[in-house]
Amino acid sequence: GENVEQHPSTLSVQEGDSAVIKCTYSDSASNYFPWYKQELGKRPQLIIDIRSNVGEKKDQRIAVTLNKTAKHFSLHITETQPEDSAVYFCAAGYQKVTFGIGTKLQVIP
Amino acid sequence: NAGVTQTPKFQVLKTGQSMTLQCAQDMNHEYMSWYRQDPGMGLRLIHYSVGAGITDQGEVPNGYNVSRSTTEDFPLRLLSAAPSQTSVYFCASSSRTGQTSPLHFGNGTRLTVT
């Protein structure tokens, strides 16, 4: 099955700085790589995703990059704001969608 | 659309009791799944279903049963609750387009087993 590794597990940044979270996956059959944001006490919600035929995707301050050869993908958040503070999960997998362990991002005002 | 609806929101069980966590979606999604979330361990897949009448095991299936008699419903049954099953449980669904669609999560059920 799929194995997804995510790091770092915690990340503190000053407001306005950038944050980068990285994930690696093991199953070369995986072709869809979503990122979810989970605020405290809430459900995970999709913030951005990328498919295997694309190398990079941007949505305002958020971007995701994918390197299929190396089997890794990354989330980039620029100009971080306090409301970006949350836990972020990457995921991969064909039918068994596997999540990374999560990254707790703290944006310090 | 209500999306994915989970009931109950909170539940306390005694060791050995059984119960069913309910999950329903109104988006006509073929794919449904159950995850448990424990501190420091992310979201772990319990069971999933790619359509009515089809279910399969995930990463941590022991102690749980599922069935999928309709497209809308995917209940999770705890056969004999154990303290190790104390967790937050999320149901999620997705449209089956080559498994390249995002998961839509319910609001979760917080289960405590004493």
Side-chain angles (χ1 to χ4, degrees), chain A residues 25 31-33 48-58 63-69 72-74:
Chain A
Y25 63 98
N31 57 7
Y32 175 67
F33 307 94
I48 195 167
D49 55 12
I50 191 167
R51 290 171 173 77
S52 59
N53 58 346
V54 176
E56 183 176 2
K57 182 178 178 181
K58 288 183 179 179
V64 56
T65 58
L66 172 64
N67 183 327
K68 281 223 77 176
T69 302
H72 66 71
F73 57 113
S74 300

Side-chain angles (χ1 to χ4, degrees), chain B residues 37-76:
Chain B
Q37 185 172 33
D38 303 292
M41 302 191 74
L43 292 150
R44 293 183 292 168
L45 182 64
I46 305 171
H47 287 284
Y48 69 97
S49 168
V50 298
I54 306 170
T55 64
D56 205 347
Q57 296 181 350
E59 180 185 356
V60 289
N62 292 342
Y64 307 95
N65 273 358
V66 292
S67 60
R68 185 92 180 272
S69 56
T70 67
T71 300
E72 295 78 19
D73 301 298
F74 191 45
L76 178 72

Side-chain angles (χ1 to χ4, degrees), chain A residues 12-72:
Chain A
S12 290
V13 300
Q14 291 292 135
E15 182 177 356
D17 287 350
S18 295
V20 180
I21 303 170
K22 299 183 179 181
C23 287
T24 61
Y25 63 98
S26 60
D27 190 351
S28 56
S30 292
N31 57 7
Y32 175 67
F33 307 94
W35 286 89
Y36 295 86
K37 176 183 180 181
Q38 186 179 30
E39 297 176 345
L40 190 63
K42 302 285 185 66
R43 59 186 171 179
Q45 292 191 289
L46 179 79
I47 55 170
I48 195 167
D49 55 12
I50 191 167
R51 290 171 173 77
S52 59
N53 58 346
V54 176
E56 183 176 2
K57 182 178 178 181
K58 288 183 179 179
D59 183 4
Q60 298 183 344
R61 298 186 295 108
I62 295 173
V64 56
T65 58
L66 172 64
N67 183 327
K68 281 223 77 176
T69 302
K71 293 182 187 173
H72 66 71

